[in-house]
């Protein structure tokens, strides 16, 4: 049988909804490869093939995915049944599934970039709005940059550029955080949780002012999938651009939503 279960949730985050949401079987098929009888001595090969189609037309097949609180897995189980007085044999292996066209829309623009340009402001008021600023710290920073695309296939890298023109503080690191936003909605009760899927360092140390820092980030296999919304579950993605400073653990962060799809 090929079985996929989605909706495995962590008790530490969605404990109040666990009693209301159960894992859902997307597809469950079985096939007899050999009738009852005795196998010949030696190695016996039993070729087979299986087209993965959903059991319910209202619930499509989704890509394999290992998230923070949502899990989509496909397993292939094999069983050799023997007589009453013999112990049968079983085996299980995971199958990785990719779905062409998942989260794709023909209305997507050919190029959808995103500017990160910032004007000189103090760190406390910088549009990289979220972070930690030690008390008494008031420094100016000016940086600009861009993502070439924010709507892109899962197999293509995220490309862009970041330039630090002015910064009174010493920079220790610049990172890209790929963040999954997983949401479950039950009876108008919505719970969301964001977790890191990948952290990519694009610069280390006090970067040269005015010198481009190139952005190149690949999406991780299995831990990333095209975004989707189905039933009570929703998965969205974003990239956090985080700049760390060498003074008191200060950092600034800019959250940038992206849309990931699988080409048809």
């Amino acid at each position: 049988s090929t079985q996929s279960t989605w909706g495995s949730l962590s008790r530490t985050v969605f404990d109040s909804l666990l009693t209301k949401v159960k894992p859902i079987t997307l597809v469950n098929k079985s096939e007899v490869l050999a009738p009852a009888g005795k196998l010949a001595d030696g190695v016996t090969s039993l070729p087979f093939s299986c087209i993965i189609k959903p059991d319910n037309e209202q619930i499509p097949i989704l890509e394999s995915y290992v998230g923070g609180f949502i899990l989509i897995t496909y397993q292939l189980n094999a069983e050799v049944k023997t007589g009453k007085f013999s112990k049968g044999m079983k085996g299980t292996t995971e199958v990785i599934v990719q779905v062409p066209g998942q989260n794709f829309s023909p209305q997507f623009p050919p190029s959808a970039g995103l500017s990160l340009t910032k004007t000189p402001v103090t760190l406390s008021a910088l549009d990289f709005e979220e972070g930690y600023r030690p008390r008494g710290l008031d420094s100016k920073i000016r940086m600009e940059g861009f993502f070439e695309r924010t709507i892109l296939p899962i197999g293509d890298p995220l490309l862009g550029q970041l330039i630090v023109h002015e910064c009174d503080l010493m920079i220790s690191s610049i990172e890209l955080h790929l963040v999954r936003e997983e949401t479950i909605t039950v009876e108008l009760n919505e719970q969301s949780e964001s977790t890191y899927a990948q952290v990519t360092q694009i610069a280390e140390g006090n970067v040269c002012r005015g010198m481009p820092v190139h952005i190149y980030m690949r999406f991780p296999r299995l831990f990333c999938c095209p975004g989707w919304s189905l039933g009570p579950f929703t998965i969205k993605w974003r990239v956090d651009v985080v700049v760390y400073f060498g003074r008191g653990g200060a950092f600034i962060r800019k959250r940038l939503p992206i849309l990931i799809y699988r080409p048809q």
Side-chain angles (χ1 to χ4, degrees), residues 5-263:
T5 302
W6 61 293
S8 298
L9 305 179
S10 170
R11 291 182 179 272
T12 61
V13 180
F14 297 140
D15 186 62
S16 62
L17 300 180
L18 280 174
T19 58
K20 301 179 181 179
V21 178
K22 296 181 180 180
I24 298 176
T25 298
L26 298 180
V27 56
N28 191 353
K29 297 182 179 181
S30 61
E31 181 179 353
V32 177
L33 301 183
K38 185 177 181 180
L39 298 177
D41 295 337
V43 178
T44 300
S45 297
L46 301 172
F48 71 94
S49 63
C50 177
I51 299 177
I52 301 177
K53 293 183 178 180
D55 292 343
N56 187 340
E57 295 182 356
Q58 303 299 322
I59 304 178
I61 295 297
L62 299 172
E63 290 206 2
S64 299
Y65 169 69
V66 178
F69 307 100
I70 297 177
L71 176 67
I72 303 173
T73 60
Y74 295 81
Q75 290 184 341
L76 182 64
N77 304 320
E79 181 179 7
V80 178
K81 296 182 179 180
T82 57
K84 295 182 179 180
F85 302 102
S86 300
K87 185 177 180 180
M89 296 181 292
K90 296 182 179 180
T92 300
T93 185
E94 183 177 0
V95 178
I96 307 303
V97 174
Q98 295 182 353
V99 181
Q102 183 170 317
N103 204 32
F104 174 79
S105 171
Q107 281 75 38
F108 286 162
S111 178
L114 180 65
S115 174
L116 308 178
T117 301
K118 304 302 167 194
T119 55
V121 291
T122 61
L123 181 61
S124 59
L126 189 65
D127 191 39
F128 278 58
E129 69 290 332
E130 303 186 12
Y132 167 68
R133 182 174 65 92
R135 182 175 299 178
L137 183 63
D138 189 17
S139 300
K140 290 185 178 181
I141 180 172
R142 182 170 64 92
M143 63 177 62
E144 64 178 358
F146 62 89
F147 287 155
E148 290 187 0
R149 291 184 296 173
T150 54
I151 301 176
L152 68 165
I154 192 170
D156 290 0
L158 178 68
L159 302 176
Q161 182 176 281
L162 185 67
I163 302 177
V164 179
H165 291 288
E166 179 185 3
C167 183
D168 295 341
L169 297 176
M170 179 176 292
I171 297 174
S172 59
S173 179
I174 302 177
E175 296 179 355
L176 301 178
H177 296 174
L178 178 63
V179 180
R180 58 172 80 89
E181 297 178 348
E182 298 172 329
T183 303
I184 177 173
T185 304
V186 177
E187 298 177 355
L188 302 180
N189 184 11
E190 181 176 289
Q191 295 285 343
S192 298
E193 187 70 15
S194 298
T195 55
Y196 291 155
Q198 178 177 270
V199 175
T200 304
Q201 186 182 53
I202 60 174
E204 181 180 7
N206 196 21
V207 299
C208 297
R209 306 307 188 251
M211 179 176 292
V213 177
H214 295 285
I215 295 173
Y216 184 97
M217 186 187 73
R218 285 282 186 180
F219 298 109
R221 191 177 183 185
L222 286 183
F223 298 100
C224 182
C225 70
W228 52 266
S229 179
L230 185 63
F233 299 99
T234 300
I235 296 179
K236 295 181 180 180
W237 297 91
R238 75 169 194 263
V239 175
D240 293 355
V241 181
V242 187
V243 182
Y244 292 95
F245 303 100
R247 179 178 175 179
F251 70 91
I252 55 176
R253 174 174 55 198
K254 177 65 176 179
R255 296 180 176 183
L256 306 167
I258 61 173
L259 190 150
I260 304 173
Y261 67 91
R262 176 76 64 181

